Amino acid sequence: MQESVEKLLKSLSLEEKCALLSGADAWSTKAPGDIPQINMSDGPHGVRKARVMMDAADPATCFPTLAALACTWDKSRAEDIGRAIGSEAASMDVDVILAPGVNIKRSPLGGRNFEYFSEDPYLAGQMAARYVDGVQSQGVGASVKHFALNSQETRRMSISADVDERALREIYLPAFETVIREASPWTVMCAYNRLNGVFCSENYRLLTQILREEWGFDGLVVSDWGAVVDRVEGVKAGLDLEMPGPADENTLILINAVRDGRLSEKDMDACAGRVVALALKCAGAPEARPPRNHHMTARRCAAEGMVLAKNDGGLLPLIPAQRVALIGPFGMEPVIGGGGSSTVTPTKVDVPLEEMRVYDPPVFYAKGFRTDGTPDDALFNEALATAAKADVVVVMAGLSFEAQTEGADRDNLSLPAVQNRLVDALCDAHKNVVVIVTAGAPVELPWANKPKAILIAYPAGQSMGGAIADVLYGIKEPSGRLAETWPVRLEDTPCHLEFPGGADAVRYGEGVFVGYRWYDGRKLAPLFPFGHGLSYTTFQFTDINSVQNGNDITIDLKVTNTGSRTGRPVVQVYVAPQGTAYVPRPLQELKGFEKLRLSAGETAHMTFSLDARSFSYYDVNKTEWVAEPGTYEVRLGTSSRSFFYKQKFTIPGTVRRQFTVHSPLSDLLPTQVGDKLRMMLGEAGVDISIPIVASTPLRALPMFSNGRMKPADCDEIIRLANSG
Ligand code: GLC
């Protein structure tokens, strides 16, 4: 391949090479000479093949949003969806799908959160890597985006995301790192925003030092559409392709920059070479197979991503003979996705009411409220009257399509008042109410204690109406678990005081304490915690055994479905540092998960492996991940707040703490040099029970002991303390 690239590059003039660094139009690259054209399309929820930027796209399967896919916690499902989208892309002559988005959900107000996986980088990275595997298995490239810190829509094309190094490394980059290292995406899309003042589209540290030199990425970096600011700086930073094209002005700028020496031809060739390499890779992909219909693939995923948040008295699943009232306009027109570049033109759309009537003829319907939030008493009263005829009331509440879109963040977490009023009234009037909340991000549910059942359904594609019927009637189990915390109120959220920031910058002041890391640390009770989700059946977790070998810990267990119907348990593994840490750390972090399918009575094995990275934090001084020696509690559970196993392990770690003359006595006394130090202090008449003494650095002991301790004694203490 490299020879062909070099040969083709040599065939190009400087002008042609510079022109190659921007697209030919909104969706494809230039194709000078024998260089093939690359065709790109959005998006994460299905192929959005449009003629121009925001044109209506050709029909394609509209899959569950990535937010809904994340709630499946099912890596194989993520690969299935990626494979299905990749196969449809190939059949539509698309070489690169501009997906997945893996930006972390810093605030539930984020307008594109429906397009992203999680508040947790481990879950996001694992699901995204499998999704990329699926797409690329079809000979279609993926484009992991938006690199990096595009966690809000407000002023997204100019704002600077100002973040400290640990939060950058531990929260906002790991999902990208996992995808790069485990799935080798053909492309990475750089974000619009600035990172600590420098636009991502010209951020050498991000695009070259971290992405290529540290993580070994060897694919192409494409700009987000319109993200290029200074094209020369972009080439220097490692931004290969500017989209959309043709960007003729920038081509001229590049030509002049090379001619006057501001830009080396070597840098130019590096970028042009990667465009050519990708073009050859795409051209070399196997012939597309005829597209299959993926409506049922999407429907299975949609059901498995639905989260049964509450089910008092086992109200769900419904029994077909029950008289059911379906209330709400979403029962006729479900919100299957969000606005912006991920909007897919579906091949068909399942209507919840129609799909429910397949299982249960006596389903009454009332619109109940207007999706624009305009009060309408006639609709309100009709809904109450309809509910009065039913054994069970199913209300579909949630966010309208317009309320969740690229380009705009929400400014509150409220549902429209007309919806809250109706849910309240229905719950006051009826004892069997199920509320289905369809939203691309958390909303406040002030009435959450009232209905017997709450089912959370993120926008889940064209077949979510059928999936809702499947779940309501128990054909499918709602095996989703929340991939983000649902807070009681906006004011509880981690970045509430600093989202979406000011005119020029947004400070990520909460640092690493994002999502459940915040609620855990603040001991805030969320409405529904990260990882939460109920089942229609029950599970037992037994025979839990662990084996430790230094920093490596393996845990085996058995999971049994103790209920009477098929179920899909999700076991989550969290690591919780015990005792003092070199740096402030979250109380616990997700470091493993697996999902099973178990028939009634079936038992299966699970194995989890933890290694040094599972216990590590990012040391900004050493500029590497380090595992501090000490004790950690490993927890296995069914959510971030519900555990069936806790076990403490002491690991050797990967670093030894280095003590210096500035180390306080309180750091040294617990170490193997503690006894000798106590003896020396005693002989020197230093009373370590005095708090001010314990916090005294070693270097001050000669002063504190009136000269009885010498600097040489302190040096000996440090030598011994660091010798372990
Ligand atoms: C958009 C989005 C990006 C998308 C691209 C092409 O502005 O930020 O996710 O892939 O443009 O539509």
Side-chain angles (χ1 to χ4, degrees):
M1 164 76 92
Q2 193 51 35
E3 272 178 35
S4 316
V5 169
E6 283 162 14
K7 185 163 169 271
L8 284 167
L9 271 186
K10 284 195 175 68
S11 71
L12 298 179
S13 66
L14 173 63
E15 292 74 5
E16 286 171 322
K17 275 192 284 191
C18 292
L20 198 56
L21 303 194
S22 63
D25 52 35
W27 304 114
S28 61
T29 58
K30 300 184 181 84
D34 296 334
I35 298 171
Q37 182 170 63
I38 304 167
N39 298 312
M40 292 172 269
S41 280
D42 287 310
H45 310 149
V47 182
R48 182 175 78 91
K49 185 164 185 178
R51 300 281 169 274
V52 291
M53 281 293 275
M54 294 311 288
D55 197 7
D58 297 345
T61 304
C62 179
F63 290 91
T65 57
L66 294 190
L69 175 59
C71 288
T72 68
W73 287 61
D74 187 344
K75 296 170 221 177
S76 60
R77 186 61 71 201
E79 189 160 349
D80 284 350
I81 296 298
R83 186 179 302 111
I85 292 176
S87 72
E88 292 194 17
S91 69
M92 297 167 80
D93 192 24
V94 171
D95 301 309
V96 176
I97 272 286
L98 303 171
V102 298
N103 295 106
I104 293 301
K105 303 186 185 187
R106 177 177 177 241
S107 168
L109 294 172
R112 287 183 89 168
N113 282 8
F114 68 93
E115 265 195 77
Y116 300 150
F117 287 95
S118 180
E119 69 189 29
D120 178 81
Y122 182 84
L123 177 60
Q126 291 299 312
M127 295 296 281
R130 301 294 80 78
Y131 175 103
V132 169
D133 285 341
V135 168
Q136 298 189 157
S137 70
Q138 303 304 300
V140 171
S143 188
V144 62
K145 67 188 185 180
H146 305 88
F147 192 53
L149 282 95
N150 182 178
S151 288
Q152 68 184 55
E153 294 305 288
T154 306
R155 302 168 183 269
R156 65 174 176 162
M157 296 185 78
S158 59
I159 201 157
S160 177
D162 293 348
V163 66
D164 67 81
E165 187 68 4
R166 271 195 66 210
L168 176 67
R169 293 288 191 160
E170 295 183 27
I171 301 296
Y172 297 99
L173 292 187
F176 288 99
E177 180 182 5
T178 300
V179 173
I180 299 299
R181 291 186 188 279
E182 296 189 15
S184 305
W186 293 7
T187 78
V188 168
M189 181 189 293
C190 79
Y192 283 124
N193 51 280
R194 285 178 284 158
L195 168 56
N196 292 332
V198 180
F199 280 102
C200 291
S201 60
E202 53 200 56
N203 196 311
Y204 180 77
R205 179 167 188 252
L206 198 61
L207 303 184
T208 294
Q209 289 180 323
I210 293 175
L211 181 62
R212 296 188 189 281
E213 293 172 2
E214 271 188 52
W215 297 349
F217 177 65
D218 62 359
L220 173 135
V221 178
V222 59
S223 75
D224 198 343
W225 267 234
V228 166
V229 176
D230 181 322
R231 190 67 188 103
V232 173
E233 290 307 312
V235 171
K236 288 178 184 174
L239 175 65
D240 304 313
L241 180 64
E242 172 179 7
M243 291 302 288
D248 296 337
E249 302 75 15
N250 276 339
T251 299
L252 283 175
I253 288 171
L254 289 174
I255 293 166
N256 294 332
V258 172
R259 282 187 177 146
D260 66 21
R262 284 178 293 117
L263 184 62
S264 73
E265 188 137 12
K266 179 172 172 288
D267 284 349
M268 170 65 63
D269 286 350
C271 292
R274 289 189 285 260
V275 176
V276 173
L278 181 61
L280 295 177
K281 191 170 193 171
C282 295
E287 212 34 53
R289 293 187 286 275
R292 283 186 42 237
N293 180 315
H294 291 108
H295 186 79
M296 294 311 288
T297 304
R299 183 161 167 162
R300 277 191 297 278
C301 178
E304 292 171 357
M306 287 182 190
V307 178
L308 184 58
K310 184 182 178 186
N311 192 25
D312 293 352
L315 180 58
L316 290 179
L318 302 177
I319 302 161
Q322 285 170 315
R323 293 169 304 163
V324 175
L326 177 64
I327 311 289
F330 303 131
M332 293 299 284
E333 291 179 55
V335 178
I336 66 174
S341 60
S342 67
T343 303
V344 175
T345 303
T347 56
K348 66 177 282 195
V349 177
D350 287 353
V351 177
L353 177 61
E354 293 169 8
E355 298 297 327
M356 288 171 67
R357 282 178 170 161
V358 169
Y359 293 118
D360 182 355
V363 181
F364 314 118
Y365 171 73
K367 187 175 179 180
F369 56 87
R370 295 172 183 274
T371 51
D372 65 4
T374 310
D376 184 324
D377 284 346
L379 290 178
F380 177 83
N381 294 327
E382 180 198 25
L384 289 179
T386 304
K389 295 186 291 182
D391 301 313
V392 180
V393 179
V394 177
V395 195
M396 288 188 67
L399 293 177
S400 65
F401 177 84
E402 297 70 24
Q404 42 208 345
T405 179
E406 175 180 344
D409 298 317
R410 286 185 290 161
D411 56 16
N412 64 72
L413 294 182
S414 306
L415 285 174
V418 292
Q419 295 190 33
N420 287 331
R421 177 183 172 228
L422 180 59
V423 171
D424 264 328
L426 289 168
C427 291
D428 293 343
H430 208 291
K431 62 181 175 23
N432 292 330
V433 176
V434 177
V435 181
I436 301 178
V437 181
T438 66
V443 288
E444 290 169 353
L445 306 179
W447 35 258
N449 61 333
K450 286 186 166 182
K452 278 189 178 174
I454 297 175
L455 182 67
I456 293 173
Y458 283 80
Q462 63 186 47
S463 45
M464 78 180 281
I468 285 172
D470 293 341
V471 164
L472 286 175
Y473 287 97
I475 308 305
K476 294 285 285 186
E477 185 194 47
S479 59
R481 304 290 183 269
L482 290 178
E484 63 185 315
T485 305
W486 277 53
V488 172
R489 61 187 193 130
L490 175 60
E491 292 74 10
D492 292 345
T493 55
C495 59
H496 173 56
L497 298 178
E498 297 197 85
F499 182 92
D504 297 320
V506 53
R507 194 176 74 93
Y508 283 44
E510 71 284 359
V512 298
F513 300 100
V514 174
Y516 65 87
R517 293 167 167 86
W518 168 265
Y519 298 95
D520 292 348
R522 294 282 314 283
K523 295 200 179 347
L524 282 170
L527 176 62
F528 300 119
F530 176 81
H532 172 69
L534 305 176
S535 297
Y536 284 158
T537 182
T538 51
F539 303 102
Q540 194 175 40
F541 306 94
T542 58
D543 300 85
I544 304 173
N545 297 301
S546 63
V547 174
Q548 177 179 1
N549 176 10
N551 296 317
D552 299 331
I553 295 172
T554 304
I555 298 180
D556 292 299
L557 69 151
K558 287 180 184 173
V559 187
T560 301
N561 179 347
T562 50
S564 57
R565 47 174 297 127
T566 297
R568 303 216 57 196
V570 177
V571 175
Q572 303 163 33
V573 184
Y574 295 83
V575 168
Q578 306 293 302
T580 57
Y582 299 171
V583 294
R585 298 185 67 176
L587 293 185
Q588 60 180 2
E589 296 182 288
L590 179 73
K591 296 297 179 184
F593 66 93
E594 283 303 336
K595 186 171 194 175
L596 293 176
R597 177 191 307 282
L598 295 177
S599 306
E602 183 183 0
T603 295
H605 279 89
M606 277 182 144
T607 299
F608 292 99
S609 299
L610 299 172
D611 59 15
R613 178 75 180 255
S614 308
F615 301 97
S616 294
Y617 69 90
Y618 188 81
D619 185 319
V620 298
N621 298 314
K622 295 178 186 293
T623 65
E624 61 182 6
W625 288 85
V626 298
E628 180 185 341
T631 303
Y632 297 78
E633 184 174 81
V634 175
R635 302 167 177 172
L636 271 61
T638 54
S639 87
S640 62
R641 295 283 177 114
S642 171
F643 302 105
F644 55 81
Y645 168 87
K646 289 183 177 182
Q647 178 66 48
K648 288 185 175 62
F649 296 87
T650 298
I651 67 167
T654 59
V655 284
R656 295 212 57 73
R657 187 154 198 186
Q658 289 303 303
F659 297 97
T660 70
V661 290
H662 306 299
S663 300
L665 294 183
S666 53
D667 280 4
L668 286 153
L669 289 168
T671 69
Q672 76 272 9
V673 79
D675 292 342
K676 181 177 179 65
L677 180 55
R678 278 187 194 84
M679 185 186 68
M680 293 169 76
L681 292 166
E683 287 167 1
V686 176
D687 178 359
I688 55 172
S689 65
I690 303 169
I692 196 171
V693 171
S695 62
T696 298
L698 211 53
R699 71 170 189 275
L701 283 181
M703 178 268 287
F704 262 89
S705 64
N706 297 317
R708 285 194 286 269
M709 281 190 76
K710 307 297 180 212
D713 297 328
C714 301
D715 294 343
E716 174 63 3
I717 286 291
I718 290 167
R719 186 186 66 75
L720 289 173
N722 289 337
S723 63

